[in-house]
Amino acid sequence: MQSSELVKMRTRGILAFLTDHPTYQLDSREWQVFLTVAMEEGVTAPQLVERFQTPQQTLSRKIRSLGQTVDEAGELQGYNLVRIVPKGKAHSLFLTDEGRALWQAFGDMHDKVDQLIIDQFRNGEVLSY
């Protein structure tokens, strides 16, 4: 097996997880924000604006979508994956319990892909560069 095949296997696993998740149909920017918060809890919205070179208004919409708000009709909106904590003029972002469960599922997906790769090596496939 060539290293490019390993990259393709891993990429297919990630894309399937991100695009076919039964509960969370996040767009690519929402996934990017979610994964960044998961890896760097406490990151602030201005830090994300700078990192992603995204307009603040666009990023705020994505953060609200990942959080949970109440609309005018009293209905809950958003995925409740990220908790927004005011910090001066900025907001720090942390995972909710639901966010932690999704982060764990993302890690579990990686473990499954890694096991598939390991199994192929055990079956005599050789890595060639």
Side-chain angles (χ1 to χ4, degrees):
M1 174 179 294
Q2 294 188 2
S3 61
S4 62
E5 290 302 313
L6 294 175
V7 171
K8 287 179 186 177
M9 283 180 73
R10 181 166 289 288
T11 302
R12 282 187 193 108
I14 292 169
L15 286 174
F17 181 88
L18 298 179
T19 58
D20 299 334
H21 196 282
T23 305
Y24 303 107
Q25 298 300 309
L26 307 180
D27 67 30
S28 61
R29 182 65 72 184
E30 289 166 334
W31 277 115
Q32 189 176 27
V33 171
F34 170 77
L35 294 172
T36 301
V37 171
M39 291 183 290
E40 300 176 40
E41 286 199 83
V43 66
T44 65
Q47 289 170 325
L48 293 176
V49 167
E50 178 69 26
R51 182 171 301 155
F52 300 146
Q53 295 296 301
T54 302
Q56 188 273 331
Q57 185 178 19
T58 300
L59 189 64
S60 291
R61 279 194 305 273
K62 301 303 179 187
I63 291 169
R64 275 194 310 275
S65 174
L66 292 171
Q68 193 167 62
T69 58
V70 179
D71 67 14
E72 293 174 5
E75 300 291 323
L76 292 175
Q77 301 294 315
Y79 289 108
N80 194 29
L81 298 171
V82 172
R83 183 169 37 102
I84 304 162
V85 178
K87 180 182 178 183
K89 291 184 178 182
H91 300 294
S92 294
L93 306 172
F94 299 88
L95 294 181
T96 62
D97 289 341
E98 290 87 350
R100 287 189 199 298
L102 181 58
W103 178 239
Q104 180 63 49
F106 188 72
D108 292 346
M109 177 274 307
H110 280 279
D111 291 343
K112 288 176 186 174
V113 171
D114 289 346
Q115 190 58 54
L116 285 172
I117 292 169
I118 290 167
D119 290 345
Q120 287 193 10
F121 282 116
R122 287 187 180 144
N123 291 332
E125 299 216 17
V126 179
L127 179 65
S128 61
Y129 291 93

